[in-house]
Amino acid sequence: MILEVKNLEKSFKKVKAVEDISFSLDKGQVVILAGPNGAGKTTTIKCILSLLKKDGGEISIYGKDVKGRSAREKLAYIPENPDIYPLLTVWEHLKFIALAYRLKNWEEDGERLLEKFYILEKKHTLAKELSKGMKQKLSIAMAILHKPDIFFIDEPFIGLDPKGIKDFKEILKSLRDEGKTMLVSTHILSSIEELTDEIIIIKKGELIAKGSKRVLIEKYGFNENATLEDVFLKITEE
């Protein structure tokens, strides 16, 4: 077990955003975090990353509290809207990450990542001049540079054209093959179904189902040809 979340709680004033959510991730898993709009997906991710202060519960990485620097350095976040600075170049973004994580001799890795994501020729281009897909690839390169073990990815396919979606799926496959763990929050289940080991479904801040596609199909009596989208819609309608 690489990540464990126990009884996570988070409220905004009197509104319960996340209530008693528990789950765990194993090394090398690709897990979807799914739910209707406002279900608490992004809040859950941000609490795990300590971007939001949780009200209750425990979060541990390799058995260590996520608040510790050594634990947090095992994590990476790829937000729905790439966290890009318009007046920095592509290379300056990587340099910023290297300084933040006190990386040494990172330049070769940086160039290799840019080449891998087909943006090396944009190395000295200002971020404001990049397309949506290129910004997302830069965001991924920034997340990978410090070599984390767990990736939290929020709505990766929103705003991408078919080629962008295909490219992103290839990146996810590459990370999976390297043994990285990924928790992916997305509405577009069909785009990642083939890569998914498990799905966690939340609704109104509560965990209502989790397990592999096969487990959920058997539990809820679906036809074996049902898609993850079929499973998700049925469970969230109940």
Side-chain angles (χ1 to χ4, degrees):
M1 185 186 305
I2 189 170
L3 168 73
E4 186 170 20
V5 177
K6 289 183 179 179
N7 311 117
L8 181 63
E9 303 268 352
K10 178 63 182 177
S11 297
F12 296 100
K13 295 184 178 180
K14 294 183 179 181
V15 178
K16 205 79 166 178
V18 173
E19 185 171 6
D20 197 30
I21 285 182
S22 299
F23 63 87
S24 61
L25 302 179
D26 291 327
K27 181 177 174 59
Q29 275 191 315
V30 179
V31 178
I32 289 178
L33 180 62
N37 287 332
K41 303 185 298 297
T42 298
T43 298
T44 297
I45 289 174
K46 288 187 173 182
C47 284
I48 295 171
L49 293 164
S50 298
L51 297 176
L52 286 174
K53 184 178 180 181
K54 66 184 188 302
D55 296 330
E58 300 176 10
I59 302 169
S60 60
I61 308 292
Y62 293 118
K64 297 181 179 179
D65 192 292
V66 76
K67 288 182 179 179
R69 181 182 176 91
S70 62
R72 291 201 309 273
E73 288 182 347
K74 303 293 184 183
L75 311 179
Y77 179 41
I78 302 174
E80 176 182 347
N81 297 307
D83 193 10
I84 302 299
Y85 299 95
L87 296 180
L88 291 183
T89 67
V90 167
W91 190 249
E92 285 169 340
H93 278 85
L94 295 188
K95 186 175 182 179
F96 175 80
I97 295 298
L99 290 171
Y101 285 94
R102 297 175 292 186
L103 304 180
K104 296 181 179 179
N105 303 316
W106 59 274
E107 290 86 356
E108 187 175 336
D109 285 339
E111 291 210 345
R112 190 181 302 115
L113 284 171
L114 297 185
E115 184 174 17
K116 180 177 182 179
F117 299 145
Y118 306 105
I119 53 174
L120 182 58
E121 73 278 6
K122 301 291 185 180
K123 180 178 178 179
H124 301 299
T125 301
L126 293 178
K128 67 179 183 179
E129 299 173 8
L130 301 176
S131 67
K132 163 80 173 180
M134 286 184 177
K135 287 178 180 178
Q136 193 159 42
K137 288 178 180 179
L138 173 57
S139 180
I140 298 165
M142 292 166 63
I144 293 174
L145 188 62
H146 72 281
K147 300 179 180 177
D149 292 336
I150 312 175
F151 290 81
F152 298 86
I153 307 172
D154 199 358
E155 294 294 351
F157 305 112
I158 299 296
L160 292 182
D161 60 20
K163 184 179 185 306
I165 291 174
K166 181 177 182 295
D167 288 345
F168 201 100
K169 287 170 65 175
E170 289 300 320
I171 291 167
L172 296 183
K173 288 178 183 178
S174 175
L175 292 173
R176 180 198 60 187
D177 292 345
E178 291 173 12
K180 303 298 185 181
T181 300
M182 287 172 275
L183 182 67
V184 184
S185 171
T186 183
H187 287 97
I188 310 175
L189 303 181
S190 59
S191 292
I192 194 176
E193 179 170 347
E194 65 193 83
L195 302 176
T196 303
D197 297 301
E198 292 189 355
I199 182 170
I200 297 168
I201 301 176
I202 61 177
K203 183 178 180 181
K204 296 180 179 179
E206 297 183 11
L207 192 154
I208 59 173
K210 63 178 177 178
S212 68
K213 177 182 173 181
R214 180 178 296 278
V215 165
L216 294 181
I217 280 176
E218 291 177 355
K219 180 176 180 179
Y220 291 92
F222 286 95
N223 181 285
E224 63 179 11
N225 295 320
T227 66
L228 267 183
E229 188 174 271
D230 295 332
V231 173
F232 169 77
L233 291 173
K234 174 65 175 177
I235 292 173
T236 54
E237 283 173 359
E238 294 184 346

